[in-house]
Amino acid sequence: MPHPMSARFGRLLIAVAGLALAGPTVAEASPAVGLPLEEQIQVCAACHGADGNSPQPGTPSLAGQPALTITNQMIYFRERLRQNDLMTPMARGLSDAEIQTLAAWYADQPLETPDEEPDAELMGKGQELANQHRCASCHRADFSGHEQMPRLAHQREDYLEQAMLAYREHTRGGPDTTMIEVMREISDDEIQALAHYLAHWEE
C-alpha cells in the first residue's frame, strides 16, 4: 500500500507540472535551458559542486538525493511556489524532461561524508531528538530519504540548520507544511544538535 504522503505529493507534482502548460512567462529563462546535460551540470556546479557535493556554505549537496526530491523542488522553484534569489531564476524555463534528467544524474552521484570529527555530546542530543520527533518515519532509518523525502544523512550541516530554521520561521516556502509542524517548538540549540547528528550520521 503506498504511503499516504507519497500519494499526496504525487498529486501535488501532477498539479504543479500542469502549471507549466499554462504558457511561458516574460521573465528571462535560466542559462541552463536547452544545454546538453554535461553543460547544465557545469552551470549547477558553480554552487553545488562538480559532482553534487557542495563546496558553498549554506548550499545543499545534491549528490545522493532521491531523484523525485530534486525534481519536486526544481518544479517548485520554476513555478515560483518556492522562492529563492538564486534558484528561482535558475530553474526558470527548464522543461520537465531537463529537470528529471538532472535529478537522475545527481541521484547517482556518491555523497561525501564530513571530514571533521563529530561532537559526542551533540551527537547524543541529536539522536535523542531525531527519535523523539520520528525523523526516520519519513526519511528512513538511515536518513537516506526516498521518493519526495530528502536525504538528510551527510548533508551539509550548515544547510540543515538553515533549512530547519526556515521551516520553523515559515520562510521556507513550497506546498508542504509537514516540516513546519515538526519544527514549531524546536529551539535553536536543538536544531544545532539535530543538524550535527544528521550531517555526521553513522550506522
Side-chain angles (χ1 to χ4, degrees):
M1 178 180 295
H3 194 287
M5 287 288 289
S6 299
R8 177 185 173 196
F9 272 81
R11 291 192 296 270
L12 275 172
L13 184 55
I14 291 169
V16 171
L19 293 175
L21 302 178
T25 66
V26 295
E28 184 178 353
S30 164
V33 170
L35 296 177
L37 175 62
E38 293 78 9
E39 295 180 31
Q40 288 181 333
I41 292 167
Q42 290 176 17
V43 173
C44 302
C47 295
H48 295 284
D51 57 358
N53 286 280
S54 171
Q56 296 288 344
T59 300
S61 291
L62 302 181
Q65 285 292 333
L68 185 57
T69 296
I70 299 173
T71 297
N72 279 4
Q73 296 304 316
M74 288 291 290
I75 290 177
Y76 297 158
F77 284 129
R78 186 187 68 189
E79 304 304 329
R80 297 185 296 282
L81 295 174
R82 182 179 169 196
Q83 296 282 355
N84 179 276
D85 289 344
L86 290 176
M87 282 306 305
T88 300
M90 286 303 297
R92 188 175 294 133
L94 288 171
S95 69
D96 290 352
E98 286 178 308
I99 289 173
Q100 289 167 343
T101 300
L102 276 167
W105 186 85
Y106 281 113
D108 283 342
Q109 307 311 304
L111 181 60
E112 296 175 357
T113 58
D115 292 331
E116 68 273 11
E117 288 294 320
D119 179 281
E121 183 177 351
L122 283 176
M123 291 294 287
K125 183 176 180 181
Q127 182 177 24
E128 181 180 342
L129 288 164
N131 291 337
Q132 176 185 338
H133 294 285
R134 301 191 300 167
C135 301
S137 64
C138 289
H139 297 278
R140 289 190 166 173
D142 61 356
F143 304 108
S144 61
H146 68 112
E147 298 184 350
Q148 77 281 350
M149 302 297 180
R151 179 187 178 100
L152 305 179
H154 306 150
Q155 180 57 272
R156 284 189 64 103
E157 185 173 345
D158 56 359
Y159 176 74
L160 289 170
E161 281 196 48
Q162 173 184 299
M164 286 189 278
L165 284 168
Y167 278 123
R168 191 189 68 187
E169 303 302 323
H170 298 196
T171 58
R172 170 81 171 191
D176 179 38
T177 59
T178 304
M179 282 300 298
I180 293 175
E181 294 300 318
V182 172
M183 301 305 299
R184 185 183 298 277
E185 303 296 334
I186 296 183
S187 69
D188 290 357
D189 288 345
E190 289 173 329
I191 286 175
Q192 181 186 15
L194 270 170
H196 189 81
Y197 170 68
L198 294 167
H200 295 273
W201 185 86
E202 293 182 0
E203 190 170 0

